[in-house]
Amino acid sequence: MTQFKLGAAIAATMFMGACTGYVTSTEAASPEAAASIELYTFDCGKIEISDRGIFANDGRYDGQASEVADSCFVVSHPKGNLLWDLGLPAGLIGAEPTQNGVFTPSLEVSLADQIAAAGIESIDYVAISHHHFDHTGQQEAAAGAKWLVPQAELDFIENAGPEAGIGDMSGLMGLERTAFTGDYDVFGDGSVVIISLPGHTAGHAGLLVNLAEAGPVMLTGDLYHFRESRTGKAVPAFNFDAPETLKSMKVFEDKVAALNARVIIQHAAADLADLPKPPEALK
Ligand SMILES: [Zn+2]
């Protein structure tokens, strides 16, 4: 990724506007499907942050240096494999780390190589938590898949002007796709559900995976970036819609409580460290 593109992508996060979207109830997973579902976690890079002040709209993080992990996931289901999020761009591999704004991203191994090394032979479906550069960097890893996309996120991507600074989305836009509103039950059995959590972006989403041994797992997308942003309900200053973000936090936490779900904050290295490393998967 060029400095310009990265800068433009970061600039996109400053775009503000109205927001739509709602959340429907989630069915219980069928035990038969859950028994064979696996959740793989992949290292999609890391981002050093010279000042994480923008990750709260009330100044609480101002002046603090930090670092976040960048993660991608594959859910293996009897009816197909779902790739969730696309990480940082593969162009960062082997490149000299370059600071752009407050961010210095880096990546060691491509997502496609990690997926192949894990023995996963096909990606049948792809979904992203949202369109930002650190979640759409390796669209080539989803080649040939069907894109499952919230209508609100698709509308934003299609209608955003150059001022929104969205990076190259051609890899996703060229795929066959299903657009939806609200939650989306990927395999029709309640085992893997894309959860509508708008606010960070217009059509931001999380993912619920019901596993036989580990139980329900909720991937946050960027509803939260740090563990302390969950406990303290920090709303990043660059979010698309701050009130909608707070509503989505309540939706998310109500669901976590109702399901007694395990929460994985996708940028929190401590949450990721507890997960199996490929070729091992959470079951
Ligand atoms: Zn992110």
Side-chain angles (χ1 to χ4, degrees):
M1 174 179 272
T2 63
Q3 273 217 33
F4 169 76
K5 271 184 166 174
L6 184 58
I10 293 163
T13 65
M14 304 309 289
F15 187 86
M16 302 290 288
C19 190
T20 57
Y22 62 92
V23 171
T24 54
S25 64
T26 300
E27 299 169 41
S30 75
E32 302 76 35
S36 50
I37 296 172
E38 297 181 315
L39 177 65
Y40 292 86
T41 305
F42 296 104
D43 175 359
C44 276
K46 67 178 180 183
I47 308 173
E48 286 177 35
I49 304 169
S50 59
D51 180 346
R52 66 171 182 164
I54 59 170
F55 289 95
N57 60 9
D58 59 6
R60 80 181 80 168
Y61 298 145
D62 284 2
Q64 299 174 5
S66 188
E67 182 178 299
V68 292
D70 197 312
S71 54
C72 302
F73 301 84
V74 168
V75 183
S76 175
H77 182 284
K79 290 185 183 168
N81 297 324
L82 168 71
L83 174 56
W84 176 254
D85 272 341
L86 298 168
L88 289 163
L92 291 169
I93 298 168
E96 196 62 34
T98 303
Q99 182 165 348
N100 194 297
V102 295
F103 299 130
T104 307
S106 60
L107 178 68
E108 291 184 358
V109 184
S110 79
L111 176 56
D113 284 354
Q114 293 178 65
I115 288 171
I120 297 166
E121 292 177 354
S122 70
I123 296 299
D124 306 291
Y125 302 94
V126 61
I128 53 171
S129 58
H130 63 298
H131 68 264
H132 288 165
F133 76 100
D134 54 322
H135 299 261
T136 52
Q138 297 179 64
Q139 294 170 38
E140 62 277 10
K146 177 184 264 194
W147 184 22
L148 309 175
V149 57
Q151 187 70 53
E153 196 74 356
L154 181 63
D155 287 347
F156 182 85
I157 291 166
E158 288 189 315
N159 299 319
E163 76 284 356
I166 291 183
D168 180 6
M169 298 291 289
S170 58
L172 283 167
M173 294 300 286
L175 300 177
E176 185 189 345
R177 65 180 176 242
T178 295
F180 57 87
T181 301
D183 295 351
Y184 186 79
D185 183 344
V186 176
F187 298 106
D189 58 9
S191 63
V192 183
V193 184
I194 298 171
I195 306 293
S196 176
L197 300 169
H200 187 59
T201 61
H204 176 271
L207 188 71
L208 166 65
V209 184
N210 283 297
L211 296 166
E213 293 172 22
V217 175
M218 297 271 281
L219 305 180
T220 59
D222 280 6
L223 182 65
Y224 309 113
H225 293 82
F226 311 99
R227 283 181 168 179
E228 58 272 29
S229 38
R230 181 179 177 213
T231 50
K233 300 286 178 282
V235 177
F238 57 88
N239 273 17
F240 184 75
D241 188 316
E244 203 70 33
T245 303
L246 290 169
K247 277 190 218 166
S248 289
M249 287 176 178
K250 173 151 180 30
V251 166
F252 181 88
E253 297 301 340
D254 286 351
K255 212 174 279 286
V256 166
L259 297 171
N260 192 25
R262 174 175 176 176
V263 173
I264 306 294
I265 297 173
Q266 292 183 217
H267 280 305
D271 284 12
L272 303 169
D274 291 341
L275 294 166
K277 301 248 180 306
E280 300 303 315
L282 199 64
K283 295 177 181 171

